[in-house]
């Protein structure tokens, strides 16, 4: 039979998180404010990059400007230049390998 090793209360993960991030009213307020800001930032980035983005390869500047998100049409049109630059077309297989 193996004996269970009990960690002191200060070293338990939940106790440590509670003490470090919610040890006082000030730290709890700062933790919750920071978490809310990070969630807002992540949601804003997701909304801009994916939810409100334009993915059409034939999108014009007017179509992209009408949406509030990113315009990814340049990726679909210029992916070869992005990956290989001005490397000769016939030799791009070498860079791909």
């Amino acid at each position: 039979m193996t004996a269970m090793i009990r960690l002191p209360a200060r070293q338990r993960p939940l106790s440590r998180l509670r003490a470090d991030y919610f040890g006082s009213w000030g730290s709890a307020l700062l933790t919750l404010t920071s978490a809310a800001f990070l969630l807002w930032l992540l949601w804003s980035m997701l909304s801009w990059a994916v939810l409100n983005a334009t993915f059409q390869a034939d999108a014009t500047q007017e179509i992209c400007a009408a949406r509030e998100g990113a315009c990814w049409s340049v990726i679909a049109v210029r992916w070869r230049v992005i990956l290989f630059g001005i490397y000769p077309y016939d030799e791009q297989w070498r860079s791909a390998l």
Side-chain angles (χ1 to χ4, degrees):
M1 236 167 146
T2 59
M4 290 181 43
I5 300 173
R6 298 273 306 167
L7 293 173
R10 178 74 179 126
Q11 291 181 354
R12 291 186 199 138
L14 191 57
S15 298
R16 182 163 183 143
L17 286 174
R18 188 179 307 129
D20 289 347
Y21 296 107
F22 297 98
S24 67
W25 285 104
S27 64
L29 182 65
L30 186 61
T31 298
L32 293 175
T33 304
S34 299
F37 174 73
L38 287 175
L39 286 174
W40 171 80
L41 185 65
L42 286 173
W43 176 254
S44 297
M45 288 176 57
L46 177 71
S47 177
W48 174 82
V50 178
L51 301 177
N52 294 329
T54 303
F55 292 98
Q56 301 166 345
D58 58 345
T60 62
Q61 187 174 3
E62 289 80 21
I63 293 173
C64 286
R67 307 277 315 247
E68 293 180 2
C71 185
W72 299 110
S73 64
V74 69
I75 304 297
V77 174
R78 304 281 185 214
W79 69 271
R80 195 171 282 278
V81 175
I82 293 169
L83 287 179
F84 302 112
I86 59 171
Y87 204 72
Y89 181 79
D90 295 336
E91 300 294 323
Q92 288 178 1
W93 66 270
R94 299 168 76 193
S95 294
L97 284 180

